[in-house]
Amino acid sequence: MSENAKMPPLPTGTFGERAVTWSRKNLFDGWFNTLLTLGAIAFIIWLIPPIFNWAVVNATLTPTIEGCAEVTGACWGFVNANLRLILFGTYPYDEQWRPVLAMIVLVGIICGSLAAVKFPGLRKWIIPMWVIGVPVIGILMWGGVFGLTYVQNSFWGGLPLTMILSAIGVIFAFPLGLLLALGRQSNMPAIKTVSVVYIEVIRGVPLITVLFMASVMFPLFLPAGVTIDKLLRAQIGIILFTAAYLAEVFRGGLQAVPRGQFEAADSLSLSYWQSMRLIILPQALRLVIPPTVNSFISMFKDTTLVVIIGLFDFLGTVKLALRSDPAWTKYYVEGYAFAAAIFFLICFSMAKYSAYLEKELRKGERR
Amino acid sequence: MKIKTILAAGAMTVAAVAAHNAQAGAVLDGIKAKGFVQCGVNTGLPGVAAANAEGKWEGQDVDFCRGLAAAILGDSNKVQYTPLTAAARFTALQSGEIDVLARNTTATLTRDAKLGLTFLGINYYDGQGFLVPTALGVSSATELDGATVCVEPGTTTELNLADYFRAKGMSFEPVVIENINETTAAFFAGRCDVYTTDASGLASIRNTMAPNPDDYMILPEIISKEPLGPLVAQGDDQLADIGRWVLNAMIEAEELGVTMANVDDMKANSTNPGVQRLLGVSPGMGEALGLDEAWAYNIIKQVGNYGESYDATIKKMLGLERGLNALWTDGGLMYAWPVR
């Protein structure tokens, strides 16, 4: 931004002249930058055409192994032929409209909640939406009522599983993280100690260990015959893990709120919860939007680790499809590229939304 | 692998407790009550257990689960699958999360005795071998001194490899890559001279991943024994008996020439006492196992005999011939205990 301020008025002249001036100024500004520019151009020329040829020109969408054998480029036919396996995993084939519907409901609730920033009228609907929507998703996925056949959740997989794990993870990890952050700031020694120990222990181990403990060690400590659902164990593991990280993010936000704000709240004789809700948290949370979304993005990607405990998230179903027929196995680059594209799409949307949210909430400060 | 030691120790402790708690027939009663068999399978190994494009599980281990369901419940579709990683498989069985584990598991003494598990038999005999480019010019594993070897870490494969080379007084340089796709890619890119894993895996990799399969050959040496089979937790001997006889019935059916197609005809017309006993025409076998007399009929009708299952899974997906897994009468190791 400061660069812009220093810039002289735009030079007049033909488009060509302006282009030359612009590139002199921005691309060939001294020998070092010239070298960098030329290097970058060479790199792009070296990199882009082969990728483009591979991914588009020489690629095929024909969903057969024979069709793929004929082309030299990417075999998108692998994705095409196995799309439903990749998207829904081992969910019963004839019932796959249910996860589709569940995803639509989930995306609807998420979008509805996110849009509340722009449309304040939606705000009072956020909680009802989730309270109704989550059971609806559960009914669609599990079934067993209203004439839907029961589908054990070991059959769930693919994108719905990834999205459910992430969405439920965010919903529960957020308040838990907030409580832990407040607990760590608390004056009460017991609460403070519990929070600190929890945060430090969970942060001290990798998620893969938490999941492994939840799926392999935990059942061993239960009495014989008692089992707790594997998906539930993984979900709880993810929530506990993310909450510990979020707690530290929120603590950063709390510490950044000036002392005077706390004192002002006290002087208004607000109770602890009132001052938090009305004065401190709105400021603290706004400050930490980027790292919070960062945590969410990393949690979204971390859900792929559930594959080690035998659940097939979206990346897991890509692997499942690669192994559905040995002839497909060699097209793993296409499979992973497809998964990467979907993950990028979702993570990039989250990042963009967080940037937008920051801008919206800062409106009061600009002016 | 420290974590494995910890897990094994934990598993053993709990196995001791669990074995104590379990009542005879408890798991079998559970299967009958809930109306399906909960079967632990591989997370994806073509021919053994893998989801097809419609998301349905297929493979030889899957066929065992279906056979068990057909024998106990009369319907091979009454199976729920739990995909399990190698590390989680025994815990899942001990904790009762699954009723039976059919996950290409090598039968060993410690697993059978110390972990509180019971192997039901062997449904696939495998062994570790070597895949080399023909251009390397070797015809025997004894000529591999000094070779670079691509191998997946943390497997018995890696240990067997070290044992074999040490026993032969040869040296080798391991190229250890975690992911099977990358390991094979590295091998076909020429980063190592030799690729080693179970012979079944080598054959499928050669057939499906090699740019030109004829440029690669599997050396004749098989350096380890890998008898793979299904297992149950100790404590339910009746279920263990049924599982063992599901395996035997499928092999016996092949020995007797009973197939999915001719089973009805055989049941109605065969005068062979062996066939009559197997298919419940002369009763007693089902009763002895606590099952319906049509138990073996249901298996063969719905899943097929051992050979049919093999052809539809391992042979179809991996292109592997029967080899060690042929009937004993054809020079293999498959030999059913008499159903009588």
Side-chain angles (χ1 to χ4, degrees):
Chain A
M1 293 295 118
S2 54
E3 287 291 313
N4 275 343
K6 274 186 261 167
M7 261 220 270
L10 280 174
T12 49
T14 64
F15 177 77
E17 281 166 0
R18 274 186 290 153
V20 170
T21 323
W22 180 87
S23 51
R24 271 227 185 105
K25 191 168 171 55
N26 292 289
L27 299 177
F28 302 101
D29 179 20
W31 67 269
F32 183 70
N33 284 348
T34 306
L35 211 63
L36 278 185
T37 302
L38 292 177
I41 290 171
F43 185 70
I44 288 168
I45 290 173
W46 173 75
L47 189 72
I48 299 296
I51 290 185
F52 185 75
N53 280 341
W54 176 79
V56 181
V57 179
N58 297 327
T60 179
L61 261 173
T62 321
T64 57
I65 291 157
E66 294 74 28
C68 279
E70 285 167 11
V71 297
T72 53
C75 163
W76 301 118
F78 159 69
V79 176
N80 195 358
N82 295 292
L83 193 60
R84 285 176 68 168
L85 179 59
I86 291 175
L87 287 181
F88 306 113
T90 54
Y91 203 92
Y93 198 70
D94 298 328
E95 303 281 333
Q96 285 177 358
W97 59 272
R98 284 159 51 180
V100 173
L101 212 55
M103 276 213 290
I104 292 172
V105 173
L106 184 59
V107 171
I109 309 175
I110 293 173
C111 291
S113 310
L114 299 185
V117 177
K118 191 81 192 163
F119 307 101
L122 277 172
R123 259 171 227 176
K124 61 175 182 290
W125 294 107
I126 292 182
I127 290 177
M129 270 197 299
W130 285 97
V131 169
I132 298 169
V134 170
V136 167
I137 293 168
I139 288 169
L140 281 170
M141 293 299 287
W142 266 300
V145 285
F146 306 129
L148 298 171
T149 47
Y150 175 67
V151 178
Q152 230 190 351
N153 60 17
S154 62
F155 285 83
W156 299 11
L159 212 48
L161 183 68
T162 297
M163 291 183 57
I164 288 170
L165 280 174
S166 316
I168 305 290
V170 168
I171 295 171
F172 285 93
F174 192 92
L176 183 59
L178 205 52
L179 286 179
L180 286 166
L182 294 175
R184 196 169 184 163
Q185 302 279 61
S186 168
N187 295 324
M188 289 178 262
I191 292 181
K192 190 179 168 114
T193 314
V194 169
S195 304
V196 170
V197 168
Y198 174 88
I199 292 169
E200 295 305 332
V201 167
I202 300 280
R203 278 204 311 164
V205 294
L207 177 59
I208 206 159
T209 316
V210 175
L211 289 175
F212 218 75
M213 291 297 275
S215 88
V216 180
M217 296 302 282
F218 183 66
L220 292 174
F221 302 119
L222 292 173
V226 177
T227 56
I228 294 180
D229 189 79
K230 195 157 77 165
L231 182 63
L232 185 64
R233 276 182 267 147
Q235 179 74 75
I236 291 174
I238 289 172
I239 291 171
L240 296 182
F241 187 79
T242 311
Y245 277 83
L246 281 176
E248 287 299 277
V249 169
F250 294 148
R251 185 164 70 101
L254 289 172
Q255 284 173 347
V257 175
R259 200 68 241 160
Q261 297 285 325
F262 288 85
E263 284 158 5
D266 285 343
S267 71
L268 288 171
S269 79
L270 293 177
S271 74
Y272 176 77
W273 292 109
Q274 278 175 328
S275 66
M276 282 299 156
R277 191 167 60 84
L278 298 171
I279 297 186
I280 309 301
L281 288 181
Q283 301 183 65
L285 293 183
R286 199 181 63 201
L287 285 169
V288 295
I289 290 170
T292 306
V293 174
N294 202 22
S295 286
F296 289 162
I297 289 178
S298 93
M299 184 192 70
F300 179 73
K301 292 190 289 185
D302 280 349
T303 56
T304 54
L305 290 175
V306 296
V307 79
I308 64 136
I309 58 172
L311 294 172
F312 296 108
D313 75 302
F314 183 59
L315 189 62
T317 50
V318 170
K319 288 184 187 162
L320 201 61
L322 285 170
R323 293 170 187 156
S324 63
D325 187 322
W328 287 128
T329 310
K330 60 180 154 193
Y331 299 111
Y332 60 91
V333 177
E334 287 85 343
Y336 290 143
F338 178 69
I342 300 285
F343 271 98
F344 177 78
L345 203 68
I346 295 173
C347 294
F348 188 66
S349 312
M350 290 192 325
K352 283 314 252 186
Y353 179 76
S354 99
Y356 164 78
L357 190 62
E358 256 183 283
K359 225 171 80 191
E360 279 295 309
L361 296 183
R362 285 252 168 84
K363 271 191 178 153
E365 282 173 18
R366 285 180 318 200
R367 239 190 274 267
Chain B
M1 293 302 275
K2 220 174 190 175
I3 201 150
K4 274 194 179 158
T5 324
I6 299 169
L7 281 178
M12 277 174 217
T13 325
V14 173
V17 180
H20 220 76
N21 290 348
Q23 294 162 354
V27 183
L28 182 64
D29 292 343
I31 292 173
K32 287 178 180 163
K34 65 191 176 191
F36 60 85
V37 176
Q38 189 79 44
C39 193
V41 295
N42 197 297
T43 52
L45 186 60
V48 176
N52 67 11
E54 294 193 359
K56 285 183 79 166
W57 288 95
E58 284 178 349
Q60 199 190 27
D61 281 348
V62 171
D63 276 356
F64 172 77
C65 300
R66 294 176 58 223
L68 192 64
I72 298 174
L73 303 166
D75 183 350
S76 68
N77 291 321
K78 292 188 172 164
V79 187
Q80 305 270 20
Y81 300 98
T82 304
L84 292 166
T85 57
R89 57 185 162 178
F90 299 129
T91 322
L93 195 54
Q94 289 157 348
S95 66
E97 191 181 329
I98 55 171
D99 302 318
V100 57
L101 178 68
R103 194 201 170 282
N104 53 309
T105 303
T106 307
T108 66
L109 186 148
T110 43
R111 284 174 178 173
D112 200 19
K114 266 183 152 178
L115 290 183
L117 309 172
T118 299
F119 279 91
L120 306 177
I122 304 304
N123 64 351
Y124 192 87
Y125 290 95
D126 211 336
Q128 186 178 342
F130 298 105
L131 181 67
V132 296
T134 43
L136 196 63
V138 298
S139 56
S140 157
T142 53
E143 300 166 33
L144 289 176
D145 196 11
T148 50
V149 184
C150 274
V151 64
E152 282 168 78
T155 55
T156 48
T157 314
E158 200 183 7
L159 305 174
N160 292 335
L161 175 72
D163 284 355
Y164 180 78
F165 273 77
R166 195 177 309 128
K168 296 273 174 199
M170 303 190 297
S171 69
F172 72 102
E173 197 183 316
V175 176
V176 180
I177 305 173
E178 181 73 57
N179 179 304
I180 184 165
N181 291 332
E182 285 163 25
T183 319
T184 50
F187 172 68
F188 289 119
R191 274 184 57 196
C192 33
D193 305 321
V194 188
Y195 182 86
T196 182
T197 189
D198 286 348
S200 58
L202 291 180
S204 84
I205 285 162
R206 176 176 174 269
N207 291 342
T208 60
M209 303 279 284
N212 179 7
D214 292 336
D215 291 344
Y216 297 89
M217 62 181 281
I218 295 170
L219 297 177
E221 284 83 2
I222 296 293
I223 65 166
S224 74
K225 292 189 289 184
E226 307 283 346
L228 311 178
L231 52 163
V232 295
Q234 278 176 9
D236 190 340
D237 293 347
Q238 203 188 347
L239 179 66
D241 284 346
I242 294 171
R244 183 174 300 119
W245 287 97
V246 167
L247 273 181
N248 278 308
M250 288 175 77
I251 301 167
E252 174 94 345
E254 189 183 8
E255 290 179 1
L256 294 169
V258 185
T259 65
M260 208 186 287
N262 72 11
V263 65
D264 285 312
D265 181 46
M266 289 285 231
K267 189 175 184 181
N269 303 322
S270 175
T271 52
N272 182 335
V275 174
Q276 289 182 337
R277 270 194 301 273
L278 181 68
L279 299 181
V281 178
S282 23
M285 301 303 121
E287 190 200 345
L289 288 171
L291 297 174
D292 190 86
E293 292 295 346
W295 67 283
Y297 168 83
N298 288 335
I299 301 172
I300 298 155
K301 178 77 184 167
Q302 297 174 29
V303 185
N305 67 34
Y306 180 84
E308 287 178 293
S309 163
Y310 187 99
D311 289 346
T313 57
I314 305 269
K315 189 164 179 197
K316 180 179 155 219
M317 299 304 277
L318 304 177
L320 284 177
E321 294 304 324
R322 292 285 288 270
L324 286 176
N325 298 292
L327 291 182
W328 60 289
T329 44
D330 299 331
L333 295 172
M334 285 298 160
Y335 182 108
W337 300 359
V339 178
R340 68 181 309 145

